[in-house]
Amino acid sequence: MGKHILLVHDMTGYGKVALAAIMPVLSHMGHHLYTLPTAIVSNTLDYGQFEIHEMTDYMRRTLQVWKNLGFRFEAVSTGMIFSDEQAELVSGLCRDSAAEGCMVFVDPVMGDEGKLYNGVTEATVGHMREMVSVADYTMPNYTEAAYLAGAPIRDDLTRQEADELVDALRTLGAKSVLITSAKVEGAYCVVGYDHQAGERFLLPFEMVPVFFSGTGDIFNAVMTGRVLDGDPLPQAVQRAMDAVREMILRHKDNEDHYVGVPLENCLDVLE
């Protein structure tokens, strides 16, 4: 039985990232989607030149319309936030939704490979800490986790350092935490804490040496859908890792990786 999910992410004019990556996955999994774009973005930021139109006023008016219509959600999923005003609006929405029994999934989109994305400022880190504080599940990559925790970025972590980074995000308020693309004692892995089971987990993977924009969004969409379907968090994470790996391998020879994975061609991997 599909869940009613509110997606609070940006929309690109060109590129399979954010809403353009998340919607096909969750729709294919049978969930019912409501989209609330935080911004309209001309293309993926990796191209280095882009135009961003923030949508905060539209978001506020749309939420009022949906309230008037009696729309209700079972989960809220958030991504990139573009201003203090928007962070306040979305974190308030998440708190109100959680109080009504919604599950809140926060992807603190900010950066990767040790640095912030083009167009993302230090102020965004503060916005994302606010978002993480209301999350049932948060799923930063290692770079984002380090920025959120104010921790140094290292080439390799001990297991204790990885667990301490997870705990730093739990201290911010997140219930379940998973950190992707971490290198722990020489192995790439996803490290996390499942608040439902009260257990830590570490899931190793073999890195495919190819970069695609939007793979984190696909991972988070699959993981979110599986959790909402009732999978335990470590199992949901493993299935998301396997799906993303297969999609990358199928398209690793594509000429333009900045546009992302043409995932409509490979939704069968979700079965």
Side-chain angles (χ1 to χ4, degrees), residues 5 48 69 78 94 105 113 141 152 162 165 172 177 179 212 247:
I5 309 172
L69 292 171
T78 73
C94 289
F105 297 81
E113 299 181 337
N141 61 37
L165 190 56
L172 290 177
V177 175
I179 300 173
F212 275 100
M247 289 183 183

Side-chain angles (χ1 to χ4, degrees), residues 61-71:
R61 293 194 299 268
T62 296
L63 287 170
Q64 185 59 54
V65 169
W66 288 351
K67 183 177 181 180
N68 295 343
L69 292 171
F71 290 176

Side-chain angles (χ1 to χ4, degrees), residues 18 76 87 109 187 191 205 232 246 249:
V76 178
V109 181
V191 59
F205 64 90
E246 178 61 25
L249 288 174

Side-chain angles (χ1 to χ4, degrees), residues 81-124:
I81 301 298
F82 291 87
S83 68
D84 290 334
E85 181 184 12
Q86 194 172 95
E88 183 178 354
L89 173 67
V90 178
S91 58
L93 167 66
C94 289
R95 284 197 189 90
D96 292 345
S97 299
E100 295 175 0
C102 270
M103 295 174 69
V104 177
F105 297 81
V106 173
D107 180 7
V109 181
M110 296 185 293
D112 200 0
E113 299 181 337
K115 61 184 185 299
L116 297 175
Y117 291 137
N118 292 324
V120 176
T121 67
E122 290 288 345
T124 307

Side-chain angles (χ1 to χ4, degrees), residues 114-135:
K115 61 184 185 299
L116 297 175
Y117 291 137
N118 292 324
V120 176
T121 67
E122 290 288 345
T124 307
V125 180
H127 301 160
M128 288 306 182
R129 289 193 184 111
E130 177 72 13
M131 299 302 307
V132 167
S133 74
V134 300

Side-chain angles (χ1 to χ4, degrees), residues 2-9 22 26-27 30-36 66 72-77 103 105 221 224-225 228:
K3 298 294 195 294
H4 290 259
I5 309 172
L6 172 57
L7 301 175
V8 189
H9 296 257
I22 295 166
L26 289 173
S27 292
H31 296 290
H32 311 286
L33 308 181
Y34 303 75
T35 59
L36 192 65
W66 288 351
R72 300 182 68 84
F73 316 108
E74 295 162 277
V76 178
S77 167
M103 295 174 69
F105 297 81
T224 297
L228 291 172

